[in-house]
Amino acid sequence: MKKIIFFHLYNDISGSPQVLSSVIRGIKSKGFDVELYTSHTDGFLSGIEGVKYHTFSYKWTTNRFLTFLRLIYAQLYMFIAACRYNRDEVVFYINTICPFAPALAGRLKNIPVVYHVHEVYVKPNLLHKIYFWMWKRLSSYTFFVSKYVQNQYDRESLQAKVIYNALSKDFLDKMIPKKEATEKRNILMISSLKEYKGLKQLVKLAEIMPEYRFRLIVNSDSRSIESFFETIPGNLIILPAQKNVHHYLSEADVLLNLTIPSLCIETFGLTILEAMAYGIPVICPPVGGPLELVDNGQNGFQIDSRNLDEMSNKIRYITNSNDYNRFSNNAKRKSECFNEEAMITLIEEQLKKLS
């Protein structure tokens, strides 16, 4: 079998590198040789056994010009490196549509290029449009993370398949017993430090629900968190990035995803799936990939986070009614539909066709 060369721009502890980590481990277990190009930051892609690493300097900052310069350097690094491979040796596997440079090298060297597409841009800027243009013209095959993502793009010109994200064996092995409480008062949210994630809505929600304990885990450092929030209610605890969230999931009674639909649309929601594995009901936006996970009124609710009255009412309904166990059991059953072995098998079959 050919060697699979993976490309991912920014290694952190967000969803897309977490999914790619599962894919790499699964493909490695199937007998493929694997190399990985990514940033030398610490994240879910770090320390995968048996993988040959090639790392470069890239990190997102609030300074857009500096971030752009780092992006140009990273793309150039990946392009030059990708040009060293030959068609008979490899398949290129690009995670997200951001690393377009290795796809361009793949086209020049006649090397098959697989894209794993996670994102949909509500208001794409010029750079996003370049990513999109390159992907549409350079990909040999595309994996979409949900039907929602697939439906946003012109499928007629693409060889593609929906490959749902799945819970990794590592995640399932590390699960700890759920802490049962007499009162269901613990509300959890896991998010990046972006306004479109509904962080201000969470603060307001905590203010109008003082009897509940809110916990927010943000994919950022303490200094950035302090500068982002003006005031924090006493019943809201904010924590910096956590590579292991099992302790927090074991204590949570409801998980929130408050992404604002007019600014961003979630394409899947891996944290939603992780919460469901713990039997945690979920409240998510009424659009996007989460609708393929959250069945309204069965394992959670689909609510626009700008409607705080409805949001608070549904939280109280889930936690105070005798229906909690039904919500919880339905969530667990739903999570079992997203199997890692099935995900890897589908990816392996397509990679063999391209080999």
Side-chain angles (χ1 to χ4, degrees):
M1 291 185 287
K2 286 187 178 181
K3 182 181 295 184
I4 311 300
I5 313 298
F6 290 90
F7 297 90
H8 180 81
L9 184 61
Y10 186 35
N11 176 26
D12 63 0
I13 56 173
S14 61
S16 59
Q18 185 176 5
V19 171
L20 184 61
S21 174
S22 294
V23 172
I24 291 174
R25 294 173 199 274
I27 291 302
K28 191 79 179 64
S29 71
K30 298 293 185 179
F32 288 90
D33 287 332
V34 170
E35 295 185 23
L36 170 62
Y37 288 82
T38 190
S39 64
H40 57 52
T41 47
D42 184 41
F44 285 121
L45 295 173
S46 304
I48 303 176
E49 187 176 349
V51 172
K52 183 177 180 180
Y53 282 85
H54 308 272
T55 60
F56 48 82
S57 177
Y58 177 79
K59 186 175 182 179
W60 184 89
T61 69
T62 54
N63 185 320
R64 292 186 177 183
F65 180 71
L66 178 58
T67 302
F68 181 73
L69 289 179
R70 288 176 173 174
L71 174 64
I72 296 300
Y73 167 77
Q75 298 284 5
L76 184 60
Y77 177 94
M78 287 186 284
F79 177 80
I80 294 172
C83 284
R84 297 172 183 164
Y85 296 96
N86 296 313
R87 176 178 173 80
D88 294 337
E89 300 173 351
V90 300
V91 172
F92 288 167
Y93 193 114
I94 297 177
N95 195 48
T96 78
I97 64 174
C98 298
F100 64 84
L104 183 59
R107 173 58 65 88
L108 294 174
K109 300 295 292 282
N110 199 27
I111 294 171
V113 176
V114 174
Y115 267 86
H116 200 142
V117 179
H118 299 253
E119 64 269 67
V120 171
Y121 298 109
V122 174
K123 298 177 180 179
N125 58 33
L126 178 60
L127 193 58
H128 298 154
K129 292 177 181 178
I130 292 173
Y131 294 158
F132 177 81
W133 189 90
M134 290 286 189
W135 156 53
K136 292 276 283 188
R137 284 153 184 80
L138 301 176
S139 63
S140 307
Y141 202 87
T142 297
F143 297 133
F144 292 109
V145 299
S146 65
K147 292 178 181 177
Y148 166 75
V149 178
Q150 184 184 42
N151 290 335
Q152 302 311 298
Y153 299 107
D154 175 17
R155 289 175 286 169
E156 292 182 2
S157 60
L158 290 172
Q159 294 293 316
K161 182 187 293 289
V162 173
I163 303 286
Y164 283 115
N165 298 336
L167 295 171
S168 68
K169 182 178 182 301
D170 180 66
F171 177 87
L172 295 174
D173 288 345
K174 290 180 179 178
M175 287 184 66
I176 60 179
K178 188 88 167 64
K179 296 181 180 179
E180 297 297 336
T182 304
E183 293 185 329
K184 306 294 184 184
R185 299 293 189 189
N186 297 306
I187 313 301
L188 176 65
M189 179 167 161
I190 302 174
S191 171
S192 55
L193 193 63
K194 304 288 185 181
E195 186 171 343
Y196 60 73
K197 289 292 187 177
L199 301 183
K200 292 182 179 179
Q201 279 69 24
L202 181 67
V203 170
K204 293 177 182 177
L205 195 62
E207 289 173 345
I208 65 175
M209 302 183 74
E211 72 275 26
Y212 283 80
R213 296 179 290 271
F214 289 81
R215 182 176 278 162
L216 170 65
I217 300 175
V218 180
N219 185 17
S220 191
D221 55 42
S222 298
R223 181 178 297 179
S224 299
I225 292 171
E226 290 174 4
S227 63
F228 184 91
F229 291 93
E230 296 179 2
T231 59
I232 301 174
N235 62 331
L236 171 60
I237 297 173
I238 303 178
L239 300 167
Q242 306 286 319
K243 207 166 187 178
N244 187 330
V245 296
H246 288 281
H247 169 72
Y248 306 104
L249 288 169
S250 72
E251 293 184 342
D253 300 310
V254 176
L255 181 93
L256 301 181
N257 183 309
L258 302 183
T259 299
I260 301 172
S262 62
L263 302 178
C264 176
I265 296 180
E266 296 286 350
T267 57
F268 183 76
L270 195 58
T271 56
I272 292 175
L273 189 56
E274 291 175 344
M276 286 182 170
Y278 272 90
I280 302 171
V282 175
I283 295 179
C284 73
V287 294
L291 303 193
E292 294 165 55
L293 296 169
V294 179
D295 300 314
N296 207 29
Q298 299 301 314
N299 53 21
F301 288 102
Q302 305 160 4
I303 305 172
D304 190 316
S305 62
R306 292 165 293 187
N307 190 339
L308 294 180
D309 287 340
E310 185 180 4
M311 182 77 62
S312 59
N313 288 338
K314 293 303 185 187
I315 291 174
R316 290 190 173 99
Y317 174 78
I318 291 173
T319 56
N320 293 331
S321 73
N322 295 326
D323 247 4
Y324 188 86
N325 287 339
R326 179 178 68 86
F327 277 96
S328 178
N329 291 333
N330 287 340
K332 286 181 181 178
R333 281 194 291 270
K334 188 74 171 187
S335 73
E336 292 167 358
C337 298
F338 298 84
N339 180 272
E340 184 182 46
E341 182 60 32
M343 177 183 77
I344 298 302
T345 297
L346 290 172
I347 293 174
E348 178 195 16
E349 289 174 353
Q350 188 55 47
L351 291 178
K352 284 182 175 179
K353 292 177 183 178
L354 294 171
S355 296

